[in-house]
Amino acid sequence: MGIIRKTESVEILLNEFQDTETALSTVELITRLGKFMNKTTIYRILEKLEDDGILHSFIGFDGVKRFARCKSCSKSNHSDVHPHFQCISCGKSECLDIEVNIPDMSNREVLFSQLLIKGKCDLCMV
Amino acid sequence: MGIIRKTESVEILLNEFQDTETALSTVELITRLGKFMNKTTIYRILEKLEDDGILHSFIGFDGVKRFARCKSCSKSNHSDVHPHFQCISCGKSECLDIEVNIPDMSNREVLFSQLLIKGKCDLCMV
DNA sequence: CTTACATTTGCAACTAAGTTGCATTAATAA
DNA sequence: TTATTAATGCAACTTAGTTGCAAATGTAAG
């Protein structure tokens, strides 16, 4: 079930993803937006936005779900197979604009894949 | 801190990983071995075995940690960068013996990466 | 074989992420 | 403007994983 109504909560949430390729964890969003809306609402809206192909998600190395804006996804085709990068210094995680070629597999049907990279981002490399 | 003593619990746990490339989730291990040892013990032994380079772990699409045998890891070098496959039909997840070449990145320091693939395994493809 | 002592274990209580049911509130079409 | 249906808040719950501490057990030295 996707978004049907453009409510205030939806707009506030979408605003957080404006003009950025940074991925935000649910936890992060709850601390940021907790005064504007309930955490349940945050979880529910994120789920709907993902269904609609507006956001995509991945599980970080800490097991916490993160969301980021989609570039070329649709309701039917969540094909955002770019890698995600997580910085061990500042904790920031972001989408990488790099093509990943999934190894060919004869005896398995690949439906989705995600590459997660851990390291130091440009600002933390020193 | 790695394994110091070869206790009964350690042996029972290691047995589960014998002769298989299948990855087991902590939850799965707790249901299997819960009658032999406490879940805290399971968590602690798994952590130690990972420290020792005997097991390696990854977080599945469901956010649950999974463990599998290492082939060429050591205490210092946990370089098991093979992809992991998770079947959406039977739920089984396993290590894949495939090389993954991580895309070159000029402005980031890559320390670790994991490729997670979702699909149907050979038995569930039909 | 026995002792001594450090490591492991079990237990219970806790934390933190995420979910559910239900009554209330708000958006939208008529 | 109202009726209807979706969205929200709240509280209570579930589940994965963690912590502190006392009791049990493995191991090396005698």
Side-chain angles (χ1 to χ4, degrees):
Chain A
M1 187 190 40
I3 287 286
I4 303 175
R5 296 180 184 176
K6 261 272 160 67
T7 64
E8 210 191 326
S9 301
V10 172
E11 297 214 336
I12 293 171
L13 238 167
L14 272 176
N15 242 325
E16 296 294 315
F17 294 97
Q18 217 71 50
D19 311 317
T20 176
E21 297 217 339
T22 302
L24 298 169
S25 67
T26 32
V27 181
E28 214 166 341
L29 286 164
I30 289 164
T31 39
R32 278 198 208 180
L33 307 176
K35 42 184 173 285
F36 303 117
M37 70 195 80
N38 191 272
K39 70 168 180 167
T40 312
T41 306
I42 294 175
Y43 278 109
R44 289 198 269 228
I45 292 176
L46 288 171
E47 193 189 335
K48 286 177 184 175
L49 290 172
E50 190 173 17
D51 281 355
D52 282 0
I54 295 160
L55 299 179
H56 63 276
S57 74
F58 63 96
I59 312 260
F61 284 106
D62 53 0
V64 174
K65 207 169 186 180
R66 271 147 235 267
F67 288 85
R69 277 257 298 288
C70 284
K71 283 193 158 175
S72 52
C73 293
S74 65
K75 218 175 269 201
S76 49
N77 178 30
H78 240 302
S79 60
D80 236 330
V81 207
H82 57 256
H84 291 101
F85 187 89
Q86 211 172 330
C87 180
I88 55 158
S89 295
C90 65
K92 198 175 74 177
S93 57
E94 51 198 333
C95 302
L96 298 179
D97 265 329
I98 302 171
E99 277 278 326
V100 184
N101 53 332
I102 300 114
D104 208 28
M105 279 181 288
S106 48
N107 55 340
R108 267 174 261 258
E109 191 189 343
V110 174
L111 294 171
F112 182 74
S113 71
Q114 64 167 45
L115 177 61
L116 196 51
I117 301 171
K118 190 177 358 189
K120 287 193 180 179
C121 73
D122 46 353
L123 295 168
C124 295
M125 264 182 83
V126 185
Chain B
M1 186 190 42
I3 288 285
I4 303 176
R5 294 182 185 175
K6 264 272 160 71
T7 63
E8 209 191 325
S9 301
V10 172
E11 300 216 334
I12 294 171
L13 238 167
L14 272 176
N15 243 325
E16 296 294 316
F17 294 97
Q18 218 71 49
D19 312 317
T20 177
E21 297 216 341
T22 302
L24 298 169
S25 68
T26 32
V27 180
E28 213 165 341
L29 286 164
I30 289 164
T31 39
R32 277 198 208 180
L33 306 176
K35 41 184 173 284
F36 303 118
M37 69 195 81
N38 191 272
K39 69 168 180 166
T40 313
T41 306
I42 294 175
Y43 278 108
R44 289 196 270 229
I45 292 176
L46 288 171
E47 194 189 334
K48 286 178 185 176
L49 290 172
E50 190 173 16
D51 281 355
D52 282 0
I54 295 160
L55 298 180
H56 64 275
S57 73
F58 63 96
I59 313 259
F61 284 106
D62 53 0
V64 174
K65 208 168 185 179
R66 271 147 235 266
F67 288 84
R69 277 258 298 288
C70 284
K71 284 192 158 175
S72 52
C73 293
S74 66
K75 218 175 268 200
S76 49
N77 179 30
H78 240 302
S79 60
D80 235 330
V81 209
H82 58 258
H84 291 101
F85 186 89
Q86 212 174 327
C87 181
I88 56 157
S89 295
C90 65
K92 198 176 75 177
S93 57
E94 51 197 334
C95 302
L96 298 180
D97 265 330
I98 302 171
E99 276 279 326
V100 183
N101 52 333
I102 299 116
D104 208 27
M105 279 181 288
S106 49
N107 55 340
R108 268 174 261 258
E109 191 190 343
V110 174
L111 295 170
F112 182 74
S113 71
Q114 64 166 45
L115 177 61
L116 197 51
I117 301 171
K118 191 178 352 191
K120 287 193 180 178
C121 73
D122 46 355
L123 294 169
C124 295
M125 264 181 83
V126 185

